[in-house]
């Protein structure tokens, strides 16, 4: 460092002397001696001192001319090179590197205790009480003796805790003695720290500390693990010691051993070494058993081997989910550790709360069998399978699988030859916290069940899994219908379902109902048609009842009546997306009509993925007109979104369908009040998986308008194939084919718009009796690209194939932003873009 010439040289010398006064030689923390089963000791810390003189100060050649007399701190054992050259005398304590005056004591007392200051319980377990008085007379030890050391040396331990050097006769105060003992106990190196006072009649009082080192491990072998790699569990058993740097195993970030600075003044150089006067805060990691760079390093087990095994076992149970895991271990006298881990297998699965015949079905639905390794994740999936396949049952809150209720300890036993053996001991379970009011069912809330009140309902009794189930009470589900269309305006409503469960799984009944009411907002009306305005503002009602008969594989059989505003475009755009964009920009991208009548239906589900059904419809159709002005947040001055007319009158039709979904869950309810021939009755599973998935439907509707001899028929086929490449990437391919003869206007085919030839306008190609649409979308991470290709058959001819391309940004499995361009003669540089919340294919 270059200093300006105008700086006062006298002040500069005083700065150098002050730095030297606070400098102190670094105590040698020491290392393990090169004994069998212990790491090789590195070179002493003092070897790194560049000065080679007390205080670590290197004087320039003419330093004697500028030297200052040493101050009190220098005379107390922190002398610089100047005092050494000037022949200043120091007392015996200064020669030993230990200050004895008041300033030095205050500096030592300012040092932190170090190690684990918060673990007072650990200290009390290994530190026996110390008495410093005899017959009421206080005794001040004048010497410290450490006994019982095996792999560590006396000097290493003294340097680590800041104890006086061997042979020192400086009296130790009670506070200083207790501090040294507390540091010894908190190092984590000793299983026992036992102080004793040796008092002779005329000789000095000696403090003798008997130390028992924690075990030293030279090698590790882990047996019994199948699903978890052994090296991962070994890292949990011997973690990286505190203060070790993950970037460089040779550097200790928390240990400030020495700071060396070189100054240059008018061509002369001086080197000052400043050291930390306090003992280190933790043992050097070279002493400790640890994992570094994937390899095991021998050393002392910090905190003891039983505590390390107990900690690793708790991590195995709590973090990795092996709730029944146990272990045993053997440590030979040579330090060879062999750990055998039992991942924990079920001995039995007991079911309580139902009859024996139903208990067998519960065990089958759980998918857990004796002999299986039991994981917490397996338990959650088992409960989901149970409540999906046997929906008439529900799990009830037992003691659960809370790990806090199942404590575990590792017990150590020693043999005469020095071998140590360790085993797992389960602690006594704490009392159950089950709430009796939930079991009694008191209160009106217990007449119905909500999904978010389901408990795990599992209890572990030893290695026996106990499943607590009971018949499900009637459950009520309620959902908001935020309807907003061009023909109703804002029409909020509710959809509700009440289900009654048969505990013997014979017949389950469901009542469904929905309504929504168009509100008179914004002066919306039909121009010059007050009667039509009132008619379109009628309340929309739907209601039905159905039964489920598992013995006949009947997923639903029932009927419904309705008088509401319906659409045949649910396969194009989801309800919430249509309502949102109708409200925001007057673009619902749907045509609507009034449908009044009834329907009777029956659906068979003979396998998890297969479904077949039949339905009879008797409906009266009525055309609707869009209200003006449009009730939207933006584009209020634009014309109302057009609504296509329909073939009015009464129609009777029969509909048959077949569906397949490889991802369908068994036992899930099928159907809804808003059932259409173009959409599936199976609920769509939106979660992405790594397995290929195929879903599709085929429907055939044959009908006739009442009073007209002409019949119509329509066939719809829609299939989607998902081919994942990895967890975040994959290809989706869709093919939709539809066609018919003598179709009413509301059943004619049209392409264009979102999910139906993206990039083109809504139903740009309409009025057809057949259509073909293909889509392909590739997604990687959050980004995707897609292409749609389609054509419509109208007036005895097919339109030219139309291609739409675009990209997407995914915010989840469902939510995404899509931008699409058309590629025909009307193509523009500006894309059509939407934020969509629901996938329809």
């Amino acid at each position: 460092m270059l200093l300006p010439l105008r700086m006062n040289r006298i002040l500069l010398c005083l700065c150098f002397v002050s730095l030297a006064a606070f400098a102190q030689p670094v105590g040698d923390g020491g290392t393990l001696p090169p004994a069998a089963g212990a790491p090789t000791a590195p070179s002493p810390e003092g070897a790194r001192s560049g000065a080679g003189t007390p205080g670590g100060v290197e004087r320039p050649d003419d330093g004697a001319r500028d030297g200052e007399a040493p101050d009190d701190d220098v005379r107390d054992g922190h002398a610089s090179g100047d005092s050494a050259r000037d022949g200043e005398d120091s007392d015996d304590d200064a020669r030993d590197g230990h200050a004895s005056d008041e300033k030095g004591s205050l500096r030592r007392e300012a040092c932190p205790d170090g190690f684990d200051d918060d673990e007072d319980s650990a200290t009390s377990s290994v530190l026996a009480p110390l008495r410093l008085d005899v017959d009421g007379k206080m005794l001040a030890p004048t010497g410290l003796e450490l006994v019982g050391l095996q792999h560590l040396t006396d000097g290493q331990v003294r340097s680590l805790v800041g104890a006086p050097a061997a042979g020192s006769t400086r009296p130790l105060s009670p506070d200083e003695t207790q501090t040294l003992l507390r540091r010894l106990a908190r190092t984590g190196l000793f299983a026992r720290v036992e102080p004793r006072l040796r008092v002779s009649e005329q000789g000095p009082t000696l403090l003798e500390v008997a130390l028992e080192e924690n075990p030293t491990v030279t090698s590790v072998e882990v047996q019994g693990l199948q699903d978890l790699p052994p090296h991962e569990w070994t890292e949990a058993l011997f973690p990286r010691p505190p203060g070790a740097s993950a970037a460089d195993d040779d550097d200790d970030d928390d240990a400030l051993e020495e700071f060396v600075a070189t100054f240059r003044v008018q061509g002369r150089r001086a080197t000052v070494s400043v050291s930390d006067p306090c003992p280190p805060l933790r043992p050097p990691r070279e002493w400790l058993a640890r994992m570094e760079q994937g390899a095991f390093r021998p050393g002392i087990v910090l905190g003891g081997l039983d505590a390390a095994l107990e900690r690793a076992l708790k991590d195995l149970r709590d973090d990795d989910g092996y709730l029944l895991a146990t272990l045993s271990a053997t440590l030979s006298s040579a330090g060879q550790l062999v750990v055998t881990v039992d991942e924990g297998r079920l001995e039995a699965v007991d079911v309580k709360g139902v009859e024996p015949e139903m208990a067998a079905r519960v065990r089958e639905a759980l998918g857990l069998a004796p002999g299986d390794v039991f994981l917490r994740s397996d338990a959650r999936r088992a409960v989901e399978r149970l409540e999906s396949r046997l929906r008439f049952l529900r799990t009830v809150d037992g003691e659960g699988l809370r790990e806090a209720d199942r404590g575990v300890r590792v017990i150590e036993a020693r043999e005469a030859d020095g071998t140590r053996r360790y085993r797992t001991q389960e602690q006594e379970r704490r009392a159950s916290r089950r709430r009796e009011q939930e079991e009694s069912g008191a209160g009106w809330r217990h007449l119905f069940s909500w999904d978010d009140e389901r408990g795990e309902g599992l209890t572990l009794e030893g290695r026996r899994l106990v499943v607590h189930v009971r018949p499900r009470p009637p459950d009520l589900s309620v959902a908001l219908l935020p309807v907003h269309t061009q023909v109703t305006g804002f029409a909020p409503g509710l959809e509700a379902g009440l289900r009654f469960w048969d505990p013997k799984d014979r017949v389950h009944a469901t009542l469904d109902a929905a309504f929504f009411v168009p509100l008179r907002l914004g002066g919306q009306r039909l121009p010059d048609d007050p009667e039509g305005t009132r008619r379109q503002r009628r309340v929309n009602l739907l209601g039905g009842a159905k039964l489920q008969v598992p013995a006949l594989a009947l997923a639903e059989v029932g009927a419904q009546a309705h008088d509401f505003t319906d659409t045949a475009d649910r396969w194009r755009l989801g309800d919430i997306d249509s309502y949102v964009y109708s409200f925001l920009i007057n673009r619902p991208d749907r045509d609507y009509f009034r449908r009044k009548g009834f329907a009777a239906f029956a659906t068979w589900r003979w396998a998890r993925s297969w479904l077949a059904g039949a339905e009879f419809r008797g409906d009266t159709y009525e055309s609707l007109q869009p209200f003006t002005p449009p009730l939207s947040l933006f584009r209020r001055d634009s014309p109302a979104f057009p609504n296509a007319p329909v073939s009015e009158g009464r129609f009777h039709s029969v509909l048959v369908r077949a569906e397949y979904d490889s991802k369908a869950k068994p036992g899930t309810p099928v159907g809804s009040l808003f059932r259409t021939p173009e959409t599936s009755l199976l609920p769509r599973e939106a979660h992405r998986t790594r397995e290929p998935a195929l879903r599709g439907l085929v429907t055939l509707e044959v009908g006739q308008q009442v009073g007209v001899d002409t019949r119509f028929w329509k066939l719809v086929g829609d299939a989607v194939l998902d081919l994942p490449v990895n967890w975040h990437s994959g290809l989706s391919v869709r093919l939709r084919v539809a066609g018919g003869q003598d179709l009413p206007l509301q059943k004619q085919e049209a392409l264009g718009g979102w999910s139906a030839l993206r990039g083109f306008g809504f139903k740009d190609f309409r009025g057809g009796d057949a259509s073909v649409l293909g889509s392909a979308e590739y997604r990687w991470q959050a980004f995707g690209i897609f292409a749609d290709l389609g054509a419509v058959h109208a007036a005895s001819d097919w339109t030219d194939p139309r291609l739409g391309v675009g990209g997407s940004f995914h915010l989840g499995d469902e939510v995404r932003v899509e931008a699409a361009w058309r590629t025909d003669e009307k193509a523009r540089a500006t894309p059509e873009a939407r934020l969509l919340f629901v996938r329809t294919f």
Side-chain angles (χ1 to χ4, degrees):
M1 176 179 179
L2 297 179
L3 299 176
L5 295 177
R6 63 177 179 269
M7 177 174 286
N8 191 304
R9 294 184 180 180
I10 297 177
L11 294 178
L12 182 62
C13 292
L14 291 176
C15 292
F16 286 158
V17 173
S18 300
L19 288 174
F22 284 97
Q24 177 178 321
V26 181
D28 182 10
T31 56
L32 286 173
T40 304
S43 60
E45 299 294 340
R48 289 198 291 266
S49 177
T53 60
V57 179
E58 180 182 341
R59 289 289 309 273
D61 295 339
D62 61 346
R65 292 192 300 270
D66 299 329
E68 299 289 340
D71 60 5
D72 292 340
D73 286 343
V74 176
R75 287 194 297 269
D76 291 332
H78 300 283
S80 66
D82 292 354
S83 60
R85 291 170 182 261
D86 293 340
E88 295 291 338
D89 296 332
S90 59
D91 57 15
D92 294 338
D93 289 340
R95 293 192 190 97
D96 293 334
H98 299 282
S100 60
D101 64 351
E102 183 179 359
K103 292 182 180 180
S105 299
L106 290 175
R107 188 179 299 116
R108 281 195 304 273
E109 291 176 0
C111 294
D113 283 349
F115 311 109
D116 198 353
D117 294 334
D118 296 331
E119 295 292 338
D120 293 333
S121 60
T123 302
S124 61
S125 66
V126 298
L127 179 60
L130 174 67
R131 300 184 62 84
L132 297 176
D133 62 276
V134 176
D135 294 332
K137 181 181 179 181
M138 291 294 297
L139 299 178
T142 57
L144 175 65
E145 182 178 345
L146 305 177
V147 298
L149 295 174
Q150 297 179 353
H151 295 90
L152 299 173
T153 66
D154 184 275
Q156 290 172 340
V157 177
R158 290 177 184 270
S159 178
L160 176 65
V161 299
S168 173
T169 59
R170 179 175 59 83
L172 298 174
S173 67
D175 290 341
E176 187 177 2
T177 302
Q178 191 67 19
T179 297
L180 292 175
L181 294 175
R182 186 164 56 247
R183 289 176 179 172
L184 284 170
R186 290 177 174 176
T187 61
L189 299 174
F190 306 108
R192 185 69 177 168
V193 177
E194 185 175 351
R196 293 188 294 268
L197 282 177
R198 290 211 314 259
V199 183
S200 60
E201 294 182 357
Q202 297 180 355
T205 301
L206 181 65
L207 176 61
E208 179 183 278
V209 182
L211 301 174
E212 179 186 348
E213 293 181 10
N214 281 322
T216 296
V217 177
T218 59
S219 64
V220 179
E221 180 183 356
V222 180
Q223 302 174 348
L225 290 176
Q226 297 180 1
D227 298 332
L228 190 68
H231 71 275
E232 292 186 8
W233 193 78
T234 307
E235 290 178 353
L237 181 60
F238 300 110
R240 183 184 300 272
S245 171
D248 186 357
D249 289 333
D250 294 332
D251 295 332
D252 192 338
D253 293 343
D254 293 339
L256 178 59
E257 297 175 350
E258 186 177 39
F259 173 77
V260 179
T262 301
F263 298 86
R264 187 182 301 275
V265 181
Q266 292 186 347
R268 301 183 181 276
R269 188 180 67 176
T271 301
V272 178
S273 174
V274 182
S275 302
D276 189 355
C278 297
L281 296 179
R282 58 182 59 90
R285 71 174 184 273
E286 290 80 6
W287 297 7
L288 306 177
R290 64 202 184 279
M291 292 291 294
E292 287 183 352
Q293 298 179 348
F296 174 73
R297 309 296 182 185
I300 298 175
V301 181
L302 188 66
L305 185 55
D306 53 348
L309 290 170
E310 185 174 311
R311 180 182 63 249
L313 179 59
K314 288 183 177 179
D315 289 344
L316 188 63
R317 290 188 172 194
D318 299 347
D319 298 339
D320 298 322
Y322 292 84
L323 301 181
L324 297 178
T326 59
L327 61 80
S328 61
T330 302
L331 178 66
S332 68
S333 57
Q336 298 171 344
L337 177 64
V338 179
V339 184
T340 302
V341 180
D342 181 358
E343 294 175 329
R345 298 181 181 274
L346 290 174
E347 294 180 354
V349 179
D350 299 332
V351 180
K352 295 184 179 180
V354 293
E355 298 178 354
E357 297 79 4
M358 190 60 64
R361 295 184 59 185
V362 171
R363 280 189 286 267
E364 180 182 359
L366 287 171
L368 300 175
D372 292 345
V373 174
F374 186 64
L375 293 170
R376 185 193 300 109
S377 56
D378 293 339
R380 295 195 182 103
R381 286 192 293 267
V383 172
E384 291 176 359
R385 285 194 299 268
L386 170 63
E387 298 197 349
S388 175
R389 298 180 183 182
L390 305 180
R391 296 182 61 84
F392 57 94
L393 298 176
R394 69 166 182 169
T395 56
V396 296
D397 288 336
E399 294 181 10
L401 299 176
R402 295 184 293 268
E403 289 74 27
D405 293 339
R406 306 186 66 252
V408 61
R409 292 187 59 191
V410 174
I411 306 300
E412 178 188 81
R414 304 186 187 184
E415 299 181 356
D417 60 354
T419 301
R420 305 188 185 201
R421 300 191 184 277
Y422 301 85
R423 61 180 178 85
T424 302
Q425 182 183 71
E426 299 285 348
Q427 292 181 309
E428 184 177 353
R429 295 177 60 86
R430 289 189 276 187
S432 171
R433 299 178 182 177
R434 183 184 303 181
R435 294 173 294 181
E436 295 182 359
Q437 64 269 27
E438 291 187 359
E439 288 296 314
S440 62
W444 68 271
R445 288 175 59 86
H446 295 278
L447 295 177
F448 305 99
S449 65
W450 284 263
D451 289 341
D452 58 353
E453 293 185 354
R454 174 182 59 80
E456 284 187 340
L458 303 180
T459 302
L460 283 172
E461 297 180 359
R463 295 202 168 193
R464 302 177 68 89
L465 178 66
V466 181
V467 186
H468 304 269
V469 297
R470 69 181 180 190
R472 184 185 295 273
D475 59 45
L476 176 67
S477 61
V478 179
L480 177 66
L481 292 178
V483 178
H484 192 290
T485 73
Q486 71 270 34
V487 297
T488 62
F490 181 50
L494 292 175
E495 179 183 5
L498 179 60
R499 182 165 297 177
F500 299 90
W501 301 98
D502 180 5
K504 295 186 177 180
D505 198 25
R506 294 166 298 189
V507 178
H508 310 289
T510 302
L511 300 178
D512 293 320
F515 76 94
F516 52 95
V517 182
L519 301 181
R520 301 187 180 187
L521 300 176
Q524 286 193 298
R525 60 187 177 84
L526 299 181
D528 303 325
D529 190 358
E531 182 63 26
T533 301
R534 287 193 297 269
R535 187 170 59 251
Q536 289 190 196
R537 284 179 174 160
R538 288 175 296 171
V539 177
N540 293 259
L541 297 172
L542 303 92
K546 58 184 179 181
L547 303 176
Q548 180 185 1
V549 186
L552 302 178
L554 270 173
E556 58 174 0
V557 55
Q560 76 174 52
H562 44 257
D563 182 3
F564 72 114
T565 301
D566 196 9
T567 178
D569 296 327
R570 286 191 172 87
W571 69 274
R572 300 171 177 272
L573 196 64
D575 288 338
I576 188 65
D577 292 322
S578 176
Y579 301 154
V580 165
Y581 283 101
S582 177
F583 168 72
L584 289 178
I585 59 175
N586 187 30
R587 290 290 300 275
D589 283 0
R590 280 184 177 182
D591 287 329
Y592 289 92
F593 48 81
R594 191 82 179 192
R595 185 161 73 95
K596 179 180 180 181
F598 72 95
F601 49 84
T603 305
W604 289 266
R605 190 177 181 184
W606 66 91
R608 176 180 62 88
S609 299
W610 288 96
L611 177 149
E615 183 176 342
F616 176 80
R617 293 180 159 211
D619 291 313
T620 299
Y621 290 87
E622 179 184 345
S623 296
L624 301 176
Q625 299 180 39
F627 282 145
T628 57
L631 182 64
S632 60
L633 187 61
F634 305 103
R635 296 185 178 181
R636 294 181 180 178
D637 297 332
S638 65
F641 190 81
N643 190 67
V646 300
S647 299
E648 297 184 336
R650 184 162 183 80
F651 291 82
H652 291 164
S653 63
V654 175
L655 175 69
V656 294
R657 68 171 67 230
E659 298 185 22
Y660 175 83
D661 189 346
S662 62
K663 294 172 59 178
K665 294 182 178 180
T668 52
V670 301
S672 73
L673 283 171
F674 303 94
R675 50 201 308 136
T676 65
E678 294 85 5
T679 57
S680 174
L681 297 180
L682 288 169
R684 181 177 179 271
E685 297 295 332
H687 300 291
R688 297 170 64 88
T689 62
R690 294 191 179 185
E691 295 80 21
L694 174 65
R695 59 186 179 275
L697 67 87
V698 176
T699 62
L700 175 62
E701 183 178 12
V702 179
Q704 180 180 356
Q705 185 174 3
V706 176
V708 179
D709 295 336
T710 304
R711 295 183 178 181
F712 70 89
W713 63 268
K714 184 177 181 180
L715 179 68
V716 177
D718 197 348
V720 179
L721 176 64
D722 294 326
L723 297 172
V725 176
N726 54 44
W727 191 258
H728 299 289
S729 303
L731 175 67
S732 296
V733 180
R734 177 192 193 184
L735 177 63
R736 183 183 186 276
V737 180
Q741 185 177 4
D742 297 329
L743 296 176
L745 294 177
Q746 59 269 27
K747 295 185 180 295
Q748 291 181 352
E749 282 297 298
L751 291 181
W754 296 103
S755 300
L757 201 56
R758 288 165 286 189
F760 292 82
F762 174 67
K763 292 187 178 180
D764 269 356
F765 313 101
R766 65 170 68 219
D769 53 17
S771 69
V772 177
L773 173 65
S775 299
E777 179 176 349
Y778 185 80
R779 172 182 173 184
W780 64 94
Q781 301 296 330
F783 300 94
I785 56 175
F786 59 82
D788 297 339
L789 181 66
V792 174
H793 183 271
S796 302
D797 194 12
W798 286 91
T799 63
D800 294 334
R802 306 292 179 170
L803 175 65
V805 296
S808 57
F809 179 78
H810 297 260
L811 304 176
D813 290 334
E814 294 279 327
V815 182
R816 65 206 184 278
V817 178
E818 291 187 351
W821 292 264
R822 60 192 300 166
T823 60
D824 60 358
E825 63 278 0
K826 297 182 181 180
R828 298 181 303 172
T830 305
E832 293 282 340
R834 289 285 179 92
L835 170 64
L836 302 175
F837 299 93
V838 179
R839 292 190 67 93
T840 57
F841 74 93

